[in-house]
Amino acid sequence: LLLLLLSSFAVSAAETDCSERKTTMEDSYYQPSMFSKLQSGIQALWRPGIYSIAKGIHSRELTWKIRETSIDNAVNFILTAAIELKDKLQLTPPQISEDMEVQVLSFTKAEWMDVMEFSFSQEGSDVIVHGHSFSSGILPTSIPFAPVVNMLLCLVPFHDHGLNSMRLKKFKEVSLSAAEGAKSKL
């Protein structure tokens, strides 16, 4: 466990170094504290909050349809939503996987970290967006060793106070608005 933790810290530190060289657009996203920067990647990977026996109280899913578009465009609409909502929701820059899935981290003021993930599927000329947002752990990532302690406390239930549902609804609203705006320009 100690080796895994140390290697995860090394990877997070390397990612932090790389992220500091990003463009100025990414610099305008939320910049978590040092501990949160170092630990957020580990916590997002380990996901201790989803193992709770009461995970339904801090995990939400929302599915919506973007009409007459491609998956590439739908991904861009989610990225547009992230840009528009970055300050209000304290978002870090979105990460896009090879499978065209988007992951966005959101922090509260105390730096509790929530993870939002968006996947896409083509249905005829429409794209179905599936959003999943969950609280990553009972302790904020600003506390040293939070991912380890959160894994030990993973069965302790806690509430997200509706934040995950609110974030997904905002992403749906803004992405649909971006899609409509793109259509009106055609």
Side-chain angles (χ1 to χ4, degrees):
L1 179 63
L2 183 59
L3 271 175
L4 180 60
L5 180 62
L6 290 174
S7 67
S8 296
F9 274 123
V11 168
S12 290
E15 288 172 353
T16 300
D17 289 343
C18 291
S19 69
E20 290 175 357
R21 291 184 236 131
K22 302 272 181 173
T23 65
T24 56
M25 183 181 99
E26 289 182 348
D27 290 340
S28 67
Y29 280 89
Y30 179 71
Q31 296 296 316
S33 68
M34 179 188 69
F35 280 118
S36 287
K37 273 186 185 179
L38 291 173
Q39 299 181 133
S40 60
I42 299 164
Q43 187 132 318
L45 179 66
W46 288 359
R47 304 163 180 251
I50 66 170
Y51 301 113
S52 171
I53 55 175
K55 67 181 179 181
I57 63 173
H58 57 80
S59 177
R60 296 290 181 264
E61 296 185 26
L62 184 63
T63 301
W64 65 94
K65 184 183 290 190
I66 301 177
R67 299 200 178 279
E68 300 176 16
T69 195
S70 66
I71 289 178
D72 286 342
N73 286 339
V75 168
N76 285 330
F77 299 143
I78 291 295
L79 296 178
T80 299
I83 290 168
E84 185 172 320
L85 298 168
K86 65 184 166 67
D87 294 328
K88 182 175 184 176
L89 302 181
Q90 293 187 197
L91 304 177
T92 60
Q95 304 297 314
I96 305 171
S97 73
E98 291 178 12
D99 299 336
M100 298 298 284
E101 293 182 356
V102 177
Q103 183 184 69
V104 184
L105 304 180
S106 178
F107 290 86
T108 67
K109 289 181 183 188
E111 294 196 331
W112 271 282
M113 185 184 80
D114 294 342
V115 179
M116 289 178 286
E117 297 174 327
F118 301 93
S119 59
F120 309 86
S121 59
Q122 194 77 44
E123 187 178 272
S125 63
D126 303 332
V127 172
I128 305 300
V129 180
H130 179 77
H132 180 218
S133 183
F134 59 91
S135 301
S136 65
I138 196 166
L139 296 178
T141 55
S142 57
I143 296 174
F145 302 104
V148 174
V149 176
N150 279 328
M151 284 301 286
L152 296 173
L153 298 175
C154 69
L155 296 178
V156 176
F158 60 95
H159 199 277
D160 75 344
H161 304 286
L163 291 176
N164 288 302
S165 180
M166 179 272 299
R167 287 186 191 108
L168 287 175
K169 287 176 183 173
K170 292 279 186 198
F171 265 82
K172 176 183 177 182
E173 177 185 310
V174 174
S175 66
L176 288 173
S177 177
E180 286 303 313
K183 287 178 191 169
S184 68
K185 292 179 182 178
L186 294 178

